Amino acid sequence: MTKRLFKLIFTVPHTSLEVCKQAVFSAGAGTFTEGKYSEVCFETKGKGQFIPGPGAEPAIGAVGKVVKAEETKVEVQCVGKEIVVAAVEKLKRAHPYEEVAYEVYAMEDV
């Protein structure tokens, strides 16, 4: 039986890029074709923005102030739901932000 494919997308400050990529890779994300390819991802540089609200403990910036941060968007394929779940758990532990911005999509083979 073929496992379902998922796409995990997350943003991370440039300074934490490698540690977050290694975290998701260690869960098996970015590995496919029965292990013929590993640590596969796509990166896009950009700028993120947010305002930490009352009660927040931001890793950068200050509560109530606009924060603009140089970040990288990482897209990585996961083969099997167990891999994407484990990758998200490891990403959350490795990421410096209190709230991690990530998305997970089920993929279709057409």
Side-chain angles (χ1 to χ4, degrees):
M1 182 171 143
T2 304
K3 291 189 174 195
R4 290 199 62 196
L5 299 178
F6 295 87
K7 176 74 63 103
L8 169 61
I9 302 170
F10 62 93
T11 58
V12 60
H14 299 328
T15 55
S16 298
L17 175 62
E18 292 305 319
V19 70
C20 286
K21 285 184 353 187
Q22 289 308 311
V24 299
F25 292 153
S26 73
T31 298
F32 53 97
T33 317
E34 298 176 355
K36 292 179 185 173
Y37 296 91
S38 63
E39 297 194 13
V40 177
C41 70
F42 186 82
E43 300 174 15
T44 308
K45 304 288 185 202
K47 186 176 283 190
Q49 174 180 310
F50 57 93
I51 299 175
E57 296 179 19
I60 61 172
V63 171
K65 304 287 185 186
V66 174
V67 177
K68 293 184 180 184
E70 295 293 327
E71 297 180 327
T72 302
K73 178 169 73 172
V74 179
E75 302 180 40
V76 60
Q77 182 173 304
C78 300
V79 179
K81 187 171 183 178
E82 68 282 358
I83 298 296
V84 75
V85 168
V88 168
E89 289 172 1
K90 289 189 172 202
L91 172 63
K92 287 179 178 180
R93 286 196 296 268
H95 201 286
Y97 289 173
E98 184 175 22
E99 292 292 330
V100 180
Y102 71 92
E103 306 164 32
V104 174
Y105 299 96
M107 298 172 59
E108 298 291 334
D109 186 12
V110 294

